[in-house]
Amino acid sequence: MDSAEGRDDAAWNRRVRDETEVQRLDRNWSNLLQELRVVQTGVQLLTGFLLTLPFQQRFEELSDAQEVIYLATVALSVTATMMLVAPVGIHRLLFRQHALPTLVATGQRLAIGGIAVLGFALVGVVLLIFSFVVNMTTGIIAAVAALLMFFGFWILPALLNRRSTDDAQTPHETV
């Protein structure tokens, strides 16, 4: 969010919610933590699953391409885990520093980036599993379908619902 959007959002919240800036930041931080709790569980389970695969008997049957897909997917999953856990670590480091604006803005960016990376990790998992169980062509088709679902379920609704910064409409429920 650029500074103009942030100012417009703060003004809207003052006008419509009768919130102070600190109340808005507290609410935003609380909302972010709730969202991170949901997504962290999934990404941590995915990462744990991926980290156990090399210790499975059939792992040796992976082709060279599947090994590359596996390693890329692990890297994406670990990166997503780190990005989605980072706001909590940053909070600990900034505790009692009165840095809530920084914490909320940084946490927001890390959450968006972490969710995006998680989406690509999920696409990688689909590619790996379908290519191993069926064949690479089926894996690619399934991965493209997963990528389309990622954009269709996560990205497209947000893009379609974004309001311009000069939008002065009455408040409406947004996700």
Side-chain angles (χ1 to χ4, degrees), residues 119-120 123 141-157:
F120 291 112
V123 170
I141 292 168
V144 168
L147 186 63
L148 291 173
M149 285 190 290
F150 170 57
F151 281 103
F153 293 147
W154 293 4
I155 307 298
L156 190 60

Side-chain angles (χ1 to χ4, degrees), residues 101-121:
T102 300
L103 182 61
V104 171
T106 303
Q108 163 77 359
R109 286 190 296 276
L110 285 165
I112 289 171
I115 290 169
V117 174
L118 172 59
F120 291 112

Side-chain angles (χ1 to χ4, degrees), residues 22-40:
V22 172
Q23 288 170 323
R24 181 180 72 89
L25 288 168
D26 284 340
R27 179 179 50 79
N28 288 341
W29 177 244
S30 178
N31 288 346
L32 181 62
L33 286 179
Q34 288 294 85
E35 294 163 2
L36 289 174
R37 282 184 185 104
V38 171
V39 74
Q40 281 174 351

Side-chain angles (χ1 to χ4, degrees), residues 93-166:
L93 292 171
L94 295 178
F95 188 66
R96 294 188 177 167
Q97 302 276 323
H98 307 286
L100 196 54
T102 300
L103 182 61
V104 171
T106 303
Q108 163 77 359
R109 286 190 296 276
L110 285 165
I112 289 171
I115 290 169
V117 174
L118 172 59
F120 291 112
L122 291 170
V123 170
V125 166
V126 168
L127 175 58
L128 179 64
I129 292 173
F130 277 77
S131 70
F132 184 77
V133 173
V134 184
N135 59 43
M136 188 58 77
T137 302
T138 303
I140 292 169
I141 292 168
V144 168
L147 186 63
L148 291 173
M149 285 190 290
F150 170 57
F151 281 103
F153 293 147
W154 293 4
I155 307 298
L156 190 60
L159 292 175
L160 292 175
N161 197 45
R162 287 193 70 107
R163 298 184 304 171
S164 65
T165 57
D166 61 344

